[in-house]
Every structure is written in C-alpha cells, then in structure tokens.
Amino acid sequence: MSLSGIFPIEKWNFSTQAVVNALTEAEYQSLITKQGAQKYKKGEILFKEGMVPSGIYFIHQGKVKKYKTGPASREQIIYVANKNELIGYHAILAEERYPDSAAALEESLITFIPKEDFLDILQRSTTFARRLLKALSHEYSVLTNNLSISSQGTAAERLALSLILIREKSKTGTPAGEEPSINLSRADLANMAGIAKENVIRLLKEFKNEQIIRTEGRKIWVNDIVKLVNRSNYK
C-alpha cells in the first residue's frame, strides 16, 4: 500500500537519486562508469568518522548506513542510503573530515569517485550543482524532523517511524504489487530508532500481535501501513 495521503514521507526521507539523474550520459560515464565498482560485504566499512575524505561513493546495489558512534561504542544510524544514491559528499563540500561513518547494511556494489572528479563535474554541470544544493537543503529539514522525534517520541513511535522509512527504502527492487521486506538486524533497527535492542524485540512482538507486521526470521513485512502510521504518531 502506498503512503500517499496517509503519511508525508518527504518530511522524513530524502534521496540523492535526483542529483544523479541530472547527469548527462557522458557525465555519468565519466564520473561513475569509468571508475568500476567494488563489492562490499555486510558490515564492511566505506569510511570512518574523522577520516580525511579522498572521494565520494555511488551505490549500484545494496544499502549503506551512515552512523555516529557514541558512548560505549553505541551506534546511532542517521540515514540509510539506497541504490543509485551518492554518499560522502558533505565532507568534500565542507573541506572537513568525515562527520560520520558509513558501512554496508547488506552485500553491496559500490563505486568510489575521486574527489577531483566530483569537484570537476560540480563545476561543469550547473544542473548537477543545483540539484545537489536542493538535496542538501531538504536533507537539513529531514534531519531536523528526525531530531525532533528522537528527543520527544516514545520508543514505539520511534520504531514505527523507522519501519516506515526502511520499508520505503526497501521498495527499490521489489516487484510491483508485492510488499517490500525489511531485512535488518534487530541491532540495526535499534540503532536506527535510537532505542534499546530489548525494546525493539518487545515492540515488534507487540506490533505482530496487533497484526501490524509479520516476521520470518529477521525479515519483517508490514501488513497494515495505516496502523503503523498511527503508531508513529507523526506530527
């Protein structure tokens, strides 16, 4: 079921796919295709917080989590990047070290784009630069909304919102008419929602009993998106 009319997904989610779509075929070939692609195993690190950036990354297949590491090495997942998205560009644009870390959430195919090539296309393509600026502006408003729910939302509201967002991300590659499966570890769900793993396990059981979701192993399917949206108590 679509979220149209029942949940403003654009307030809580952003994507850089439109930025990539701004590239001409020749620019795409120059920036991405010529670089080749590398396979990343689940959990493999792309970059770590504090590293000096030497380029950005384009995701051909798979998902990548961007996260911060807090006290006791606990992760807080900031964003999940999907197929056809760019990541790692913030540090390049700000001329700073990476402000967060990134790792593959599942087996992924990713291209590394050298800093020089990225900056060159940014200068040559006004459409690409304009769409990247628009994406950055939208990203800021999304992160502000996420900060609000993280500081004020209950554990159930945070988990419900996280499930809505990762369900939306999981639609990529899912055949039309099929419900996308959410394939995340309970630990990653906890880090995304900003709650304890034990709370995730308890709440998933609660959602299951209410027939909002169904599970098979670690995979989750949403049976009733309207009930899940109600559980998120979004404002």
Side-chain angles (χ1 to χ4, degrees), residues 10-27:
E10 68 282 350
K11 287 181 61 177
W12 306 95
N13 190 32
F14 63 91
S15 170
T16 57
Q17 187 166 348
V19 179
V20 176
N21 291 344
L23 296 170
T24 65
E25 181 61 31
E27 289 169 343

Side-chain angles (χ1 to χ4, degrees), residues 50-70:
M51 286 176 56
V52 176
S54 55
I56 65 172
Y57 298 81
F58 175 78
I59 305 167
H60 294 274
Q61 295 288 343
K63 292 183 179 65
V64 172
K65 63 180 177 181
K66 291 185 64 183
Y67 62 94
K68 298 276 287 185
T69 304

Side-chain angles (χ1 to χ4, degrees), residues 31 92-93 114-124:
L31 187 67
I92 300 289
L93 295 174
K115 172 182 176 180
E116 295 74 19
D117 289 0
F118 169 62
L119 293 177
D120 178 61
I121 203 75
L122 199 60
Q123 287 189 336
R124 289 193 291 111

Side-chain angles (χ1 to χ4, degrees), residues 62-206:
K63 292 183 179 65
V64 172
K65 63 180 177 181
K66 291 185 64 183
Y67 62 94
K68 298 276 287 185
T69 304
S73 298
R74 180 172 177 177
E75 289 182 12
Q76 173 65 59
I77 295 178
I78 304 166
Y79 176 64
V80 174
N82 216 4
K83 177 181 177 180
N84 295 331
E85 289 197 66
L86 296 167
I87 61 170
Y89 50 85
H90 297 84
I92 300 289
L93 295 174
E95 298 182 344
E96 296 175 350
R97 296 173 183 267
Y98 285 118
D100 46 30
S101 303
L105 270 174
E106 58 192 36
E107 187 172 296
S108 302
L109 188 64
I110 300 170
T111 286
F112 173 77
I113 301 168
K115 172 182 176 180
E116 295 74 19
D117 289 0
F118 169 62
L119 293 177
D120 178 61
I121 203 75
L122 199 60
Q123 287 189 336
R124 289 193 291 111
S125 175
T126 55
T127 304
F128 180 80
R130 187 167 58 249
R131 287 198 184 178
L132 183 60
L133 179 59
K134 183 177 180 180
L136 285 167
S137 299
H138 181 57
E139 181 179 346
Y140 175 78
S141 65
V142 166
L143 293 178
T144 300
N145 287 333
N146 286 333
L147 180 61
S148 174
I149 192 73
S150 295
S151 61
Q152 300 176 31
T154 65
E157 289 167 354
R158 294 187 208 179
L159 180 59
L161 181 60
S162 295
L163 289 173
I164 291 168
L165 295 179
I166 200 64
R167 172 185 179 267
E168 190 70 13
K169 288 285 183 181
S170 299
K171 286 182 178 179
T172 300
T174 301
E178 288 188 20
E179 177 62 33
S181 65
I182 297 167
N183 190 9
L184 281 185
S185 69
R186 302 305 183 249
D188 279 329
L189 267 178
N191 293 337
M192 189 173 178
I195 59 179
K197 181 180 174 182
E198 294 75 15
N199 279 342
V200 168
I201 295 170
R202 175 181 61 81
L203 287 166
L204 287 178
K205 184 176 180 180
E206 192 175 299

